[in-house]
Every structure is written in structure tokens, then in C-alpha cells.
């Protein structure tokens, strides 16, 4: 199986005395790829939740979700660098990955506190501007980090590299589920409406294209067809939720004056899509 080929380039980086039952080569590699990919999603999820707080829609609930996401992002960022027994990660030693993590750290030092300030309903212009400006910059840095993580942890051989690309694309779908909901919230607040609408339309096309590629395979882009029936079934479930989500997205774009209930429903459906895509990623990694 492709992921069994993933090689550990960090052998010996985590002394056996430091943790009992350290992950083996394949487990460490696939967890680095999965969790680095998940950081992209978390960057957009916290921005979406903070935006809902800014919009005054179910503020207490989305504030709590934002705080939890900040905590998860921060702890995972540290684990990708230093290793974590519970997350089954060995410490990173590749200089390029460490440099990419440092770039994310520098931005995170501002973005994380800004999200927490908004979650506390402290809606001053400074943290809101920081959120709006930095969430996409962080995402860009995370995409660059993902390139380096794949390079280090994909192992050797075309099958292993294609498997890493496939998991990364499936993981990116998780991010897009949250980014689309975030962009719709920004449109609701009339924040940079022309650029935000264009970004949302781009995300819709990218999600749809990626879903088709994952379901059928796209060898010219290094995307493998589903390796087993469980993956095929789970992608089908995710695609069904995507079609429902897309209907609501289009309705909201065509009729911006939606009720708060409709907006929360769309956010909830984006979370449902996230869960189904996350399950698909887990099926790949089994």
C-alpha cells in the first residue's frame, strides 16, 4: 500500500527514553502530512468563527469554537516542531520545514491573540483588522510549509509521492469547507466585497474540481484514484454534503439578505462537510 512506503527521514530524532512506543516511520510521516494539512483548515475555521462573533450571529457559541480552535492550532504548531507523543509525531529536524514553521510562528504570535480578543467580544478595530489581514497570510505560509512537509515525509518512489499529494488535496478540502463559510461571512459584513466574492467563487471551483479528481483519480496532477472501497464510499458521502452546501452557498450569494438562522445553518453544514472530508482523509491513512 502506498502509505506503507512513506520513509522516516528523522530516524533517531526522538530518543527512545523520551517516550514509550514512539511512532514508526510510516505513522510519523503520515501524521506530519495530515496535521500540517489540518493547520490550513484551522486557520480558516478560527477566522470564520471570529467573523460570526463580529457579525453578532450566535456569538457565544462561535466565540467558544474560536477559542478551542486557537488552542488546537497552537498546540499542533508546537508539536509539528518538537514532536508529541499523543499526536504520534517525532520532532522535526529538516531545516526547510523548521524555517517554514518559524515563519508561521511569527504571524501566529499576532493572529492567535487577535482571534482570542474577538472571541472575548472585544471588537476593536485593531484585532479585527489583524484577523482580516493575517488569516490569509498565515494560510499562504501554511501552504508553503505543506510543500516542504510533503518533500520530507513523502518518502521515495512515485507511489509514495502521489499518495502524499492525494492526502494533501483531500486535506485541503477540509480547509476550503471553512474558507468558503468565512468568505460568505465577510461578504455579509461588506468587507472587501469584490475581492471576497472572487475568492469565494475560486474556492467553489477548486473544491468541485478537487472532489472530482479525488473520486476518479487525476494522474496528471499526481492524484491517485481511491485506493479502497471505504475511501470511495466516504468521498461519496462528502460529495452529497457538498452538493447541499453548494446550494446554500449559491442562494446566499444570489440573495445576500439572509436571516441569521440561514447563516448559522450554512456554517453548520460547512462543519458537516468538514467532518465528512476529515473522515475521508482518515480512510486514506488507515
Amino acid at each position: 500500500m502506498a502509505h506503507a512506503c512513506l520513509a522516516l527521514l528523522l530516524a533517531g530524532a526522538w530518543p527512545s527514553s523520551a517516550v514509550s512506543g514512539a511512532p514508526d516511520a510510516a505513522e510519523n510521516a503520515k501524521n506530519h502530512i495530515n496535521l500540517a494539512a489540518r493547520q490550513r483548515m484551522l486557520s480558516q475555521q478560527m477566522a470564520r468563527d471570529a467573523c460570526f462573533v463580529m457579525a453578532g450571529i450566535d456569538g457565544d457559541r462561535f466565540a467558544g469554537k474560536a477559542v478551542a480552535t486557537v488552542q488546537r492550532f497552537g498546540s499542533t504548531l508546537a508539536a509539528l516542531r518538537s514532536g508529541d507523543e499523543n499526536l504520534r509525531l517525532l520532532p522535526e529536524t529538516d531545516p526547510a520545514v523548521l524555517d517554514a514553521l518559524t515563519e508561521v510562528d511569527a504571524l501566529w504570535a499576532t493572529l492567535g491573540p487577535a482571534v482570542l480578543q474577538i472571541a472575548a467580544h472585544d471588537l476593536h478595530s485593531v484585532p479585527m483588522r489583524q484577523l482580516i489581514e493575517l488569516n490569509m497570510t498565515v494560510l499562504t505560509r501554511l501552504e508553503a510549509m505543506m510543500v516542504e512537509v510533503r518533500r520530507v515525509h513523502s518518502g521515495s518512489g512515485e507511489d509514495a509521492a502521489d499518495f502524499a499529494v492525494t492526502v494533501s488535496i483531500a486535506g485541503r478540502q477540509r480547509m476550503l469547507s471553512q474558507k468558503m463559510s468565512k468568505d460568505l461571512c465577510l461578504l455579509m459584513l461588506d468587507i472587501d466585497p469584490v475581492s471576497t466574492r472572487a475568492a469565494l467563487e475560486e474556492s467553489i471551483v477548486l473544491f468541485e474540481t478537487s472532489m472530482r479528481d479525488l473520486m476518479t483519480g487525476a494522474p496528471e496532477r499526481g492524484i491517485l484514484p481511491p485506493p479502497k472501497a471505504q475511501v470511495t464510499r466516504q468521498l461519496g458521502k462528502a460529495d452529497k454534503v457538498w452538493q447541499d452546501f453548494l446550494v446554500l452557498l449559491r442562494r446566499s450569494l444570489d440573495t445576500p439578505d439572509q436571516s441569521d438562522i440561514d447563516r448559522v445553518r450554512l456554517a453548520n453544514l460547512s462543519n458537516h462537510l468538514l467532518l465528512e472530508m476529515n473522515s475521508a482523509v482518515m480512510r486514506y491513512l488507515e
Side-chain angles (χ1 to χ4, degrees):
M1 187 173 295
H3 64 266
C5 299
L6 294 171
L8 175 63
L9 301 185
L10 310 175
W14 192 350
S16 59
S17 59
V19 60
S20 175
D24 64 14
E27 184 182 14
N28 175 69
K30 72 182 182 183
N31 286 342
H32 268 276
I33 292 171
N34 176 40
L35 293 175
R38 193 183 70 177
Q39 291 292 82
R40 300 177 299 184
M41 178 278 291
L42 293 175
S43 75
Q44 298 306 289
Q45 187 176 66
M46 70 178 73
R48 189 277 309 270
D49 294 341
C51 183
F52 268 69
V53 175
M54 290 159 54
I57 299 174
D58 206 355
D60 288 341
R61 175 188 167 213
F62 284 101
K65 289 173 65 65
V67 170
T69 303
V70 166
Q71 292 171 343
R72 176 175 287 186
F73 187 99
S75 62
T76 303
L77 193 61
L80 286 168
R81 178 185 295 277
S82 303
D84 186 282
E85 179 179 3
N86 292 326
L87 293 177
R88 308 294 294 160
L89 292 172
L90 297 173
E92 185 59 77
T93 62
D94 182 82
V97 176
L98 291 171
D99 286 347
L101 283 165
T102 297
E103 290 189 9
V104 176
D105 281 332
L107 296 168
W108 178 240
T110 299
L111 179 60
V115 174
L116 291 177
Q117 195 169 344
I118 293 169
H121 300 278
D122 185 0
L123 303 181
H124 288 94
S125 60
V126 171
M128 290 195 293
R129 185 178 69 251
Q130 290 170 333
L131 171 75
I132 293 166
E133 293 177 353
L134 287 180
N135 84 88
M136 286 304 297
T137 305
V138 168
L139 178 60
T140 299
R141 294 292 188 275
L142 288 169
E143 293 284 7
M145 183 184 78
M146 194 68 228
V147 172
E148 299 300 337
V149 168
R150 283 208 311 262
R151 175 185 60 80
V152 172
H153 295 287
S154 293
S156 59
E158 184 177 347
D159 286 348
D162 287 351
F163 180 77
V165 170
T166 303
V167 172
S168 179
I169 296 299
R172 189 179 66 190
Q173 297 288 77
R174 300 178 296 190
M175 177 276 289
L176 290 171
S177 74
Q178 304 304 288
K179 183 178 182 294
M180 288 183 281
S181 187
K182 178 211 72 178
D183 285 341
L184 196 63
C185 179
L186 293 177
L187 279 177
M188 181 175 62
L189 294 175
D190 200 32
I191 294 174
D192 197 6
V194 174
S195 296
T196 302
R197 179 179 284 268
L200 179 51
E201 294 285 0
E202 183 179 341
S203 293
I204 289 172
V205 172
L206 182 57
F207 191 100
E208 179 68 19
T209 301
S210 298
M211 184 60 79
R212 300 280 77 77
D213 286 348
L214 289 168
M215 295 179 77
T216 62
E220 68 280 8
R221 288 186 285 278
I223 301 174
L224 298 170
K228 48 193 171 184
Q230 296 95 313
V231 175
T232 301
R233 286 195 296 269
Q234 186 56 46
L235 287 172
K237 290 174 64 177
D239 187 56
K240 184 178 185 305
V241 178
W242 161 240
Q243 298 305 323
D244 293 339
F245 182 56
L246 182 58
V247 169
L248 282 184
L249 272 178
R250 289 298 184 195
R251 185 183 304 161
S252 297
L253 284 170
D254 294 341
T255 311
D257 190 21
Q258 296 283 309
S259 70
D260 287 357
I261 292 175
D262 288 335
R263 288 163 176 163
V264 170
R265 181 173 172 236
L266 191 140
N268 290 341
L269 195 55
S270 76
N271 286 343
H272 187 185
L273 180 57
L274 166 63
L275 289 173
E276 296 296 353
M277 278 311 309
N278 191 61
S279 292
V281 172
M282 294 303 104
R283 297 292 85 76
Y284 277 107
L285 296 177
E286 287 175 345

